[in-house]
Amino acid sequence: MGSIQHCCCQLPKMGDTWSQLPWPGPSHPALFLVSLLLTAGVMHADAGASCPVLCTCHNQVVDCSSQRLFSVPPDLPRDTRNLSLAHNRIAAVPPGYLTCYMELRVLDLRNNSLMELPSGLFLHAKRLAHLDLSYNNLSHVPADMFQEAHGLVHIDLSHNPWLRGVHPQAFQGLVQLRDLDLSYGGLASLSLEALEGLPGLVTLQIGGNPWVCGCTMEPLLKWLRNRIQRCTADSQLAECRGPPEVEGAPLFSLTEESFKACHLTLTLDDYLFIAFVGFVVSIASVATNFLLGITANCCHRWSKASEEEEI
């Protein structure tokens, strides 16, 4: 390979014509323009040459939806901005799958068979803004699920019926997140810590979950009530499944009075009264057992005496 030579371009002088200027390329300007067009065509072809089979690629949009895929396509154009893998049968995404696609803005994985995502999947997807994981089989949202994906604006985790848990730090660092959909899953509770670090949250969907409105839910509900003016929530769809006394009640209808029993504290007099009652009950139990024993003994003696008289 020869050494790289640097060419210096001569600036035109006032009065020069194009025919008088030195031409660094082919002998004729038309040939130079043709070479430029060919180069641009090659570059464009290179960007779209890796469009996967069964997918369509156009203007940085790769659509592989509804193709009955069991796995993600191995190679995508490097400049992909919008990737749709929706309505397939994909059960897993390999680790590092998004490493080369730093321009990715939208990722649609809805209606697949995903049970989990590999750790660090979004480490290099720093421009990812919209993520749809709805209609899958996710069981939990771990702490590192959205690691480094600080550009996320919209996350849809709805209609994951096996979703039972969200780690308190699952959405840590997502300061730009505006829309979060956790509706129609299997969530019975949700940590306040998982949401209070989302200053830009505007829309929160949590309806359709089997919420257990016990004492552990009070901090979250209090936080939601304070933000309800600037955070749209599906308040009509969010209902309590337990305990029995509040079953069927709208989640946002619960007030501080509903959790009054959670703050009851016992005084010294209460403890003394409970101890006295316990002592009395134990004495009564001993006395009852003593009387039952005497009665049983008497009955046994009477029965024995009756048998002897008959003989």
Side-chain angles (χ1 to χ4, degrees), residues 223-282:
W223 182 83
L224 288 173
R225 281 196 299 269
N226 292 335
R227 289 179 58 95
I228 201 68
Q229 297 299 326
R230 63 188 189 95
C231 177
T232 304
D234 51 347
S235 56
Q236 300 299 321
L237 299 175
E239 295 183 352
C240 300
R241 295 286 181 88
E245 55 267 23
V246 293
E247 185 175 359
L251 197 64
F252 293 96
S253 69
L254 302 180
T255 62
E256 293 183 3
E257 288 294 322
S258 306
F259 298 96
K260 189 175 181 180
C262 299
H263 303 285
L264 291 178
T265 55
L266 298 177
T267 64
L268 179 59
D269 292 339
D270 294 327
Y271 284 111
L272 290 175
F273 177 75
I274 292 173
F276 175 75
V277 170
F279 176 75
V280 170
V281 170
S282 62

Side-chain angles (χ1 to χ4, degrees), residues 74-86:
D75 295 307
L76 303 171
R78 294 291 181 90
D79 62 347
T80 300
R81 288 194 177 190
N82 189 326
L83 173 59
S84 177
L85 296 168

Side-chain angles (χ1 to χ4, degrees), residues 164-188:
R164 298 287 189 268
V166 176
H167 194 279
Q169 298 179 357
F171 308 116
Q172 186 177 18
L174 304 184
V175 295
Q176 298 186 47
L177 190 66
R178 293 174 57 85
D179 307 314
L180 177 60
D181 195 340
L182 294 170
S183 61
Y184 296 99
L187 294 172

